Every structure is written in C-alpha cells, then in structure tokens.
Amino acid sequence: MQIETNKSLRQFNTFGLDHQAAFFTEVADEKELMEALQAARKAEVPAFILGGGSNILLTRDLPYFVIKINIKGINIVREDSRHVWVKVGAGEIWHEFVGHAIRHGWGGVENLSLIPGTVGASPMQNIGAYGVEIKDVFDHLEAVVREDGNLVTFSGEDCGFGYRDSIFKQKSKDKYVITRVVFRLDKFPVLNTTYGDVEFTMHELGFPEPSIEAVSEAIIHIRSKKLPDPTVLGNAGSFFKNPVISPEKFHQLKAIYPQLPGFDTPEGIKVPAAWLIEQSGWKGKRWGTIGVHAQQPLVLVNYGGGKGEDLLLLSKTIAKDVFEKFGVKLQTEVNLV
Ligand code: EPU
C-alpha cells in the first residue's frame, strides 16, 4: 500500500477543486482497506472515504487520511429463472456497471444511466433518476466497520432508504465503509418510461420498440442535453435536494405562483428546486470562475480555477434568496467537506 502526503485531490473530485489531502492511499480489496484504516488510526488522523468524488464539495485542504476505494468486480452470485443477483465492487464506475447490465439483458438500472460516481456511493444517497431509485433493485451490501475492521451486511430495510437518503448519511454516518453491493436485476425487464420525456425521446431517436437499450440511450440523450459533463465543466450534479413541503404550504404558494410545479410523494409535495432557483433569478448567473448552470439551475459549476469556499457562499446566497422569496428551505444534496 502506497501512502502519499499532501496529495492534490483535483483529479478526484468532479468539481475539479484543487485542495490537498494530508494523507492519501488507494485500496483494491477489503484487506488493503483494513490496512489503510489501521494506518490512519496509527497516524491519529481521521479516515475519509472517497468514491468517485462526484457528490462532494471540498471547501478546504483536508487534514484527513483519504482512502480512495478501488474495489472492482462484477459477479453473478445467485440466479433463478427470473432474476440475477449481481455483486459489484464499490470502486466500479456506476455507469460502467449499468452498461454491463444492459449488455447482458438485465433490467432494472437502465433509468440510472450516466449518473456519475461509483457503485459504493450509490446506496449512501439512494441515487435516483427518471422514476427509479437504487432501493428498487437493491438486495444487500457488504461493509467494513471502521472501528474494528469487521465485515457486516445490510439488507435494504437496514439501510433506511429515503429520497436521496440512507442511514449512511444519518445515524451511521462515518461508521462503515461500503465495499460491495448486491443488486437483484430482471431477466425479463419491466420498463419504466413514464417520467418526463423518456418515451418521446426513444421515438425521436428512432428506436422501433422500447427496450432497456432504448431507455438507456434516451436517458443518456436527455441528461447530456441538460447536465454538464464533469470532465468538461466541473460540477457535482444536483447541488440541492428538491424540497418536500406540506400540502398547506404548497397551496399557499400556488395561490401566489400559479405556475409552481409540485409532485405528490408520501412525505408531502415535492417541488423542483430548479424552478425555485430559476424564479429567484439565479439561472445561468456567473460569479467569475463559478456559477449556476444555464440549462439546469440545480447544478453549480466551476468554470476553472474556482474555489470551494466561493461555491459554498454562492450556494448559501441562493438558498437565502429562495427562502426570502418562497419561505422554503433548500438543503444541499452534495456533501460539504
Ligand atoms: N425546472 C425548472 N427550470 C429548469 C429546469 C427544471 O423550472 O431550468 C423544473 C421544471 O419544473 C421541471 C422540474 O424542474 O419539470 C424537474 O426537472 P428535472 O426533470 O430536470 O429534474 P430535477 O428535479 O431538477 C432530479 C434529480 C436529478 C435527476 C432528475 C431526473 C434531485 C435533487 N435531482 O432533478 O438527479 O437526474 O431528477 O430524474 O432529485 C442528481 O441527483 O445529481 C441528479 C442530477
């Protein structure tokens, strides 16, 4: 195991922010992970687990022992006539796993095409897009307990999945390192094409009939149009969560803003943060090297040379304006570090 010091994390976060880690190492399996955790304990430096770096905002140099998870492997662990259970290493790139599933004809993750990040990070915030969330295909996961190095498993119920949420962001934050995730995929895929423009885009792209490939291509097309490619323009996807408000609050706002969109959920009415931000005048606004994306105002971008602390200030200023105008609190979706 190679340990580096004062390592630039620029290549390891999709905002492309140039902050340093006090210590840095990469681990390829559970044994190396345990060694790295031990090394961090010995150095008396808190361990910080890094996946694809696509959902973090670095606001400073990190006085941490950064452990980049590179655990690979996509293997069938169980199979019956209808389903296949696939165990995937936490370090696999999410979109590459989606491609693997599609090539093998396994349905369930095609709507989650092109989501940046790694497989290990996917359960942390129950990634979701176009009507599907990871909890819909999740079977269980394996994790290492940070404190004692023991290997444990979590069922879907144990994970406490919610909208962009799980116990790994709440009561179990920083307690475990997710090492492998097992998904249950369908040999006879049931397509979910009801969200937004998915159906229309499949026709537009000329697919003769719906299939998991067609859904995936349509979603890649939609996402590429709206969401900036982090390899070209630094960003971390949606910066804020879509707020969920009470029906009373929604009706109050609707009386003043008849155009306000709202989607019923079991927790309340979900309103698009993108709409609130756009109405507050922030869509496409630029502050020098950083700004609010012109096609999707939920996404903050680093045009190059931007600073994490400025992005944080920008996000706070947007949230303040939205709160003053609508009385709705925006919560960040990315993890502030
Ligand atoms: N909207 C605007 N102005 C805009 C763009 C959107 O007002 O410029 C409003 C419209 O009312 C639109 C609504 O926002 O109908 C929803 O837009 P969209 O379908 O693009 O989805 P979103 O709510 O902005 C969520 C996820 C995305 C995911 C898409 C598609 C969150 C925080 N974000 O965005 O996930 O790709 O749905 O399912 O839930 C991510 O988490 O990083 C992410 C990109």
Side-chain angles (χ1 to χ4, degrees):
M1 186 179 54
Q2 196 200 343
I3 300 171
E4 295 172 76
T5 52
N6 300 326
K7 166 92 170 172
S8 167
L9 295 174
R10 193 185 187 143
Q11 310 294 328
F12 298 96
N13 73 100
T14 57
F15 263 124
L17 296 167
D18 196 9
H19 285 292
Q20 291 187 349
F23 297 89
F24 180 88
T25 193
E26 302 196 34
V27 297
D29 57 28
E30 285 79 353
K31 190 170 158 282
E32 285 190 3
L33 169 62
M34 289 173 201
E35 283 167 15
L37 289 169
Q38 248 168 22
R41 262 197 301 273
K42 215 168 136 201
E44 295 184 0
V45 177
F48 179 88
I49 308 300
L50 186 65
S54 60
N55 206 41
I56 54 170
L57 175 67
L58 301 175
T59 59
R60 57 184 178 133
D61 286 343
L62 302 188
Y64 300 141
F65 200 113
V66 174
I67 303 173
K68 161 99 178 116
I69 305 294
N70 260 340
I71 302 173
K72 301 280 188 187
I74 305 182
N75 300 297
I76 297 180
V77 288
R78 193 174 145 200
E79 200 168 349
D80 67 17
S81 56
R82 305 207 36 184
H83 295 112
V84 58
W85 283 258
V86 192
K87 187 186 277 197
V88 189
E92 290 286 351
I93 304 293
W94 174 265
H95 183 63
E96 288 176 11
F97 161 57
V98 171
H100 183 101
I102 290 170
R103 282 193 301 280
H104 287 78
W106 305 329
V109 285
E110 58 280 0
N111 290 46
L112 305 176
S113 295
L114 215 61
I115 294 189
T118 54
V119 167
S122 63
M124 306 253 324
Q125 54 155 348
N126 181 23
I127 59 169
Y130 305 98
V132 173
E133 288 181 332
I134 202 187
K135 72 168 169 51
D136 306 327
V137 289
F138 180 91
D139 191 75
H140 69 274
L141 65 77
E142 296 175 2
V144 165
V145 183
R146 283 207 201 187
E147 210 174 284
D148 56 19
N150 280 335
L151 200 63
V152 288
T153 60
F154 287 85
S155 68
E157 206 179 314
D158 297 337
C159 292
F161 291 127
Y163 166 57
R164 292 296 192 279
D165 206 16
S166 76
I167 58 158
F168 305 107
K169 277 181 100 172
Q170 305 293 341
K171 70 173 189 279
S172 297
K173 191 168 160 46
D174 297 337
K175 284 198 184 145
Y176 303 95
V177 183
I178 296 168
T179 48
R180 304 194 189 257
V181 187
V182 178
F183 300 97
R184 194 191 69 164
L185 301 177
D186 274 313
K187 289 182 178 174
F188 302 98
V190 182
L191 303 179
N192 181 338
T193 59
T194 49
Y195 188 101
D197 283 348
V198 176
E199 194 115 5
F200 171 79
T201 308
M202 279 195 298
H203 289 301
E204 202 186 39
L205 293 179
F207 283 98
E209 52 189 273
S211 64
I212 51 176
E213 293 84 352
V215 171
S216 175
E217 288 300 325
I219 285 170
I220 289 172
H221 187 81
I222 298 168
R223 286 186 77 97
S224 312
K225 262 201 304 200
K226 277 205 284 204
L227 295 167
D229 177 351
T231 60
V232 178
L233 185 58
N235 77 91
S238 301
F239 196 92
F240 301 100
K241 288 189 191 188
N242 286 325
V244 178
I245 61 177
S246 68
E248 297 75 47
K249 174 77 188 169
F250 180 72
H251 289 121
Q252 268 172 22
L253 284 173
K254 193 87 179 162
I256 313 169
Y257 306 100
Q259 310 293 331
L260 175 69
F263 306 92
D264 251 327
T265 76
E267 293 81 28
I269 314 280
K270 192 188 270 186
V271 295
W275 193 89
L276 302 172
I277 296 170
E278 180 170 356
Q279 298 302 310
S280 304
W282 281 101
K283 184 171 175 169
K285 276 268 170 77
R286 194 166 168 162
W287 274 8
T289 50
I290 60 171
V292 182
H293 192 53
Q295 270 83 50
Q296 173 46 293
L298 201 45
V299 177
L300 303 189
V301 296
N302 174 15
Y303 291 102
K307 296 264 174 294
E309 47 277 40
D310 294 338
L311 280 158
L312 185 62
L313 181 63
L314 174 62
S315 73
K316 284 186 173 162
T317 311
I318 294 169
K320 184 171 147 284
D321 282 3
V322 166
F323 186 72
E324 276 169 9
K325 191 168 166 76
F326 299 102
V328 175
K329 278 198 177 137
L330 290 184
Q331 283 180 342
T332 54
E333 202 241 89
V334 299
N335 298 304
L336 309 176
V337 192

